[in-house]
Short mmCIF file of all heavy atoms in Angstrom, two decimals:
data_model
loop_
_atom_site.label_atom_id
_atom_site.label_comp_id
_atom_site.label_asym_id
_atom_site.label_seq_id
_atom_site.Cartn_x
_atom_site.Cartn_y
_atom_site.Cartn_z
N GLY H 1 0.82 -1.21 0.00
CA GLY H 1 0.00 0.03 -0.01
C GLY H 1 0.87 1.24 0.00
O GLY H 1 0.57 2.24 -0.68
N GLY H 2 1.97 1.24 0.80
CA GLY H 2 2.86 2.41 0.81
C GLY H 2 3.53 2.64 -0.50
O GLY H 2 3.68 3.79 -0.91
N ILE H 3 3.97 1.57 -1.14
CA ILE H 3 4.62 1.71 -2.45
C ILE H 3 3.70 2.31 -3.50
O ILE H 3 4.13 3.16 -4.29
CB ILE H 3 5.18 0.35 -2.95
CG1 ILE H 3 6.39 -0.09 -2.03
CG2 ILE H 3 5.59 0.40 -4.41
CD1 ILE H 3 6.87 -1.49 -2.33
N ILE H 4 2.43 1.91 -3.43
CA ILE H 4 1.44 2.50 -4.38
C ILE H 4 1.38 4.00 -4.12
O ILE H 4 1.31 4.81 -5.06
CB ILE H 4 0.06 1.86 -4.15
CG1 ILE H 4 0.12 0.37 -4.58
CG2 ILE H 4 -1.01 2.59 -5.03
CD1 ILE H 4 -1.15 -0.41 -4.29
N GLY H 5 1.33 4.39 -2.81
CA GLY H 5 1.31 5.82 -2.46
C GLY H 5 2.53 6.57 -2.98
O GLY H 5 2.43 7.68 -3.49
N LEU H 6 3.72 5.94 -2.83
CA LEU H 6 4.97 6.57 -3.29
C LEU H 6 4.98 6.68 -4.84
O LEU H 6 5.45 7.72 -5.36
CB LEU H 6 6.16 5.71 -2.87
CG LEU H 6 6.47 5.73 -1.37
CD1 LEU H 6 7.56 4.71 -1.03
CD2 LEU H 6 6.96 7.15 -0.92
N VAL H 7 4.45 5.68 -5.51
CA VAL H 7 4.37 5.76 -7.00
C VAL H 7 3.49 6.92 -7.42
O VAL H 7 3.80 7.64 -8.35
CB VAL H 7 3.89 4.43 -7.58
CG1 VAL H 7 3.58 4.57 -9.07
CG2 VAL H 7 4.90 3.31 -7.35
N LEU H 8 2.37 7.09 -6.73
CA LEU H 8 1.47 8.19 -7.03
C LEU H 8 2.16 9.54 -6.84
O LEU H 8 2.02 10.46 -7.64
CB LEU H 8 0.19 8.12 -6.15
CG LEU H 8 -0.73 6.97 -6.47
CD1 LEU H 8 -1.91 6.97 -5.44
CD2 LEU H 8 -1.32 7.12 -7.88
N VAL H 9 2.92 9.66 -5.71
CA VAL H 9 3.69 10.92 -5.50
C VAL H 9 4.70 11.15 -6.59
O VAL H 9 4.84 12.29 -7.10
CB VAL H 9 4.40 10.89 -4.12
CG1 VAL H 9 5.27 12.11 -3.92
CG2 VAL H 9 3.39 10.81 -2.98
N TRP H 10 5.37 10.09 -7.01
CA TRP H 10 6.38 10.23 -8.08
C TRP H 10 5.70 10.65 -9.40
O TRP H 10 6.27 11.55 -10.07
CB TRP H 10 7.10 8.88 -8.29
CG TRP H 10 8.09 8.94 -9.41
CD1 TRP H 10 9.33 9.48 -9.40
CD2 TRP H 10 7.90 8.40 -10.75
NE1 TRP H 10 9.91 9.37 -10.63
CE2 TRP H 10 9.08 8.69 -11.45
CE3 TRP H 10 6.84 7.71 -11.34
CZ2 TRP H 10 9.20 8.30 -12.79
CZ3 TRP H 10 6.97 7.34 -12.69
CH2 TRP H 10 8.18 7.64 -13.40
N ILE H 11 4.58 10.09 -9.75
CA ILE H 11 3.89 10.44 -10.96
C ILE H 11 3.50 11.91 -10.94
O ILE H 11 3.70 12.67 -11.89
CB ILE H 11 2.63 9.57 -11.20
CG1 ILE H 11 3.07 8.08 -11.50
CG2 ILE H 11 1.77 10.07 -12.32
CD1 ILE H 11 1.93 7.11 -11.51
N ILE H 12 2.91 12.32 -9.80
CA ILE H 12 2.48 13.74 -9.67
C ILE H 12 3.71 14.68 -9.73
O ILE H 12 3.63 15.75 -10.30
CB ILE H 12 1.70 13.92 -8.36
CG1 ILE H 12 0.36 13.22 -8.46
CG2 ILE H 12 1.51 15.39 -8.03
CD1 ILE H 12 -0.48 13.23 -7.23
N SER H 13 4.82 14.27 -9.11
CA SER H 13 6.02 15.10 -9.14
C SER H 13 6.54 15.31 -10.55
O SER H 13 6.94 16.42 -10.92
CB SER H 13 7.12 14.51 -8.24
OG SER H 13 7.65 13.31 -8.77
N VAL H 14 6.51 14.24 -11.35
CA VAL H 14 6.96 14.31 -12.74
C VAL H 14 6.02 15.25 -13.55
O VAL H 14 6.48 16.13 -14.28
CB VAL H 14 7.01 12.95 -13.40
CG1 VAL H 14 7.25 13.06 -14.88
CG2 VAL H 14 8.06 12.09 -12.72
N VAL H 15 4.74 15.08 -13.32
CA VAL H 15 3.75 15.93 -14.06
C VAL H 15 3.89 17.40 -13.68
O VAL H 15 3.94 18.27 -14.55
CB VAL H 15 2.31 15.43 -13.78
CG1 VAL H 15 1.29 16.39 -14.38
CG2 VAL H 15 2.09 14.03 -14.36
N LEU H 16 3.97 17.67 -12.38
CA LEU H 16 4.07 19.06 -11.91
C LEU H 16 5.37 19.73 -12.39
O LEU H 16 5.36 20.90 -12.70
CB LEU H 16 3.99 19.11 -10.38
CG LEU H 16 2.59 18.81 -9.74
CD1 LEU H 16 2.66 18.89 -8.26
CD2 LEU H 16 1.53 19.76 -10.29
N THR H 17 6.45 18.96 -12.39
CA THR H 17 7.75 19.53 -12.83
C THR H 17 7.68 19.93 -14.28
O THR H 17 8.23 20.95 -14.70
CB THR H 17 8.87 18.47 -12.63
OG1 THR H 17 8.96 18.16 -11.23
CG2 THR H 17 10.17 19.07 -13.10
N LYS H 18 6.92 19.14 -15.10
CA LYS H 18 6.81 19.46 -16.52
C LYS H 18 5.80 20.60 -16.79
O LYS H 18 6.03 21.41 -17.63
CB LYS H 18 6.40 18.24 -17.31
CG LYS H 18 7.49 17.17 -17.41
CD LYS H 18 7.06 15.98 -18.28
CE LYS H 18 8.21 15.00 -18.42
NZ LYS H 18 7.80 13.84 -19.29
N VAL H 19 4.72 20.60 -16.02
CA VAL H 19 3.67 21.59 -16.24
C VAL H 19 4.07 22.97 -15.65
O VAL H 19 3.90 24.01 -16.30
CB VAL H 19 2.34 21.14 -15.62
CG1 VAL H 19 1.27 22.24 -15.67
CG2 VAL H 19 1.83 19.90 -16.36
N LEU H 20 4.62 22.92 -14.43
CA LEU H 20 5.02 24.15 -13.75
C LEU H 20 6.51 24.40 -13.93
O LEU H 20 7.30 23.47 -14.14
CB LEU H 20 4.69 24.09 -12.25
CG LEU H 20 3.23 23.76 -11.90
CD1 LEU H 20 3.10 23.61 -10.39
CD2 LEU H 20 2.32 24.84 -12.41
N ASP H 21 6.90 25.67 -13.81
CA ASP H 21 8.35 25.97 -13.87
C ASP H 21 8.89 25.87 -12.44
O ASP H 21 9.41 26.85 -11.86
CB ASP H 21 8.52 27.38 -14.40
CG ASP H 21 10.00 27.64 -14.75
OD1 ASP H 21 10.82 26.70 -14.66
OD2 ASP H 21 10.33 28.80 -15.10
N PHE H 22 8.76 24.63 -11.88
CA PHE H 22 9.17 24.39 -10.52
C PHE H 22 9.59 22.93 -10.41
O PHE H 22 8.84 22.03 -10.82
CB PHE H 22 7.99 24.67 -9.56
CG PHE H 22 8.34 24.44 -8.12
CD1 PHE H 22 8.96 25.40 -7.39
CD2 PHE H 22 7.97 23.28 -7.50
CE1 PHE H 22 9.28 25.20 -6.04
CE2 PHE H 22 8.24 23.03 -6.15
CZ PHE H 22 8.91 24.00 -5.44
N GLU H 23 10.78 22.71 -9.89
CA GLU H 23 11.27 21.32 -9.80
C GLU H 23 10.74 20.64 -8.54
O GLU H 23 11.17 20.95 -7.41
CB GLU H 23 12.82 21.33 -9.81
CG GLU H 23 13.41 19.93 -9.85
CD GLU H 23 14.94 19.94 -9.89
OE1 GLU H 23 15.50 21.03 -9.72
OE2 GLU H 23 15.48 18.87 -10.03
N PHE H 24 9.81 19.71 -8.72
CA PHE H 24 9.23 18.97 -7.62
C PHE H 24 10.04 17.68 -7.47
O PHE H 24 10.05 16.84 -8.38
CB PHE H 24 7.78 18.65 -7.93
CG PHE H 24 6.98 18.16 -6.75
CD1 PHE H 24 6.12 19.02 -6.07
CD2 PHE H 24 7.08 16.86 -6.35
CE1 PHE H 24 5.40 18.57 -4.96
CE2 PHE H 24 6.32 16.41 -5.24
CZ PHE H 24 5.50 17.29 -4.57
N VAL H 25 10.74 17.52 -6.36
CA VAL H 25 11.69 16.42 -6.19
C VAL H 25 11.19 15.45 -5.12
O VAL H 25 10.89 15.86 -4.00
CB VAL H 25 13.10 16.97 -5.80
CG1 VAL H 25 14.06 15.82 -5.63
CG2 VAL H 25 13.58 17.95 -6.85
N LEU H 26 11.19 14.16 -5.51
CA LEU H 26 10.92 13.09 -4.54
C LEU H 26 12.26 12.49 -4.17
O LEU H 26 12.81 11.67 -4.92
CB LEU H 26 9.95 12.06 -5.09
CG LEU H 26 9.67 10.83 -4.23
CD1 LEU H 26 9.03 11.28 -2.92
CD2 LEU H 26 8.78 9.82 -4.96
N GLY H 27 12.81 12.90 -3.05
CA GLY H 27 14.15 12.46 -2.65
C GLY H 27 14.14 11.01 -2.10
O GLY H 27 13.13 10.49 -1.67
N MET H 28 15.32 10.40 -2.14
CA MET H 28 15.47 9.03 -1.66
C MET H 28 15.17 8.96 -0.14
O MET H 28 14.61 7.95 0.30
CB MET H 28 16.88 8.54 -1.93
CG MET H 28 17.13 7.08 -1.52
SD MET H 28 15.93 5.90 -2.28
CE MET H 28 16.39 6.09 -3.99
N GLY H 29 15.46 9.99 0.58
CA GLY H 29 15.17 10.03 1.99
C GLY H 29 13.68 9.89 2.25
O GLY H 29 13.25 9.15 3.19
N ASN H 30 12.86 10.58 1.44
CA ASN H 30 11.42 10.47 1.62
C ASN H 30 10.88 9.11 1.20
O ASN H 30 9.91 8.64 1.76
CB ASN H 30 10.71 11.61 0.86
CG ASN H 30 10.86 12.96 1.51
OD1 ASN H 30 10.95 13.03 2.73
ND2 ASN H 30 10.88 14.00 0.75
N VAL H 31 11.51 8.52 0.19
CA VAL H 31 11.11 7.19 -0.26
C VAL H 31 11.38 6.17 0.87
O VAL H 31 10.51 5.33 1.19
CB VAL H 31 11.88 6.78 -1.53
CG1 VAL H 31 11.64 5.29 -1.84
CG2 VAL H 31 11.48 7.65 -2.71
#
């Protein structure tokens, strides 16, 4: 369940980084 949540965060971070001029980073520490 947690991995699914992390994958969702990663997908959203990639989308937001491309759409917005802002680097949304999912760091290894948070993973």
Side-chain angles (χ1 to χ4, degrees):
I3 289 174
I4 295 172
L6 289 171
V7 170
L8 290 175
V9 174
W10 177 77
I11 292 172
I12 290 176
S13 69
V14 171
V15 172
L16 289 179
T17 300
K18 289 185 177 180
V19 173
L20 306 175
D21 193 5
F22 180 82
E23 187 179 6
F24 194 100
V25 180
L26 176 60
M28 183 55 65
N30 285 331
V31 171

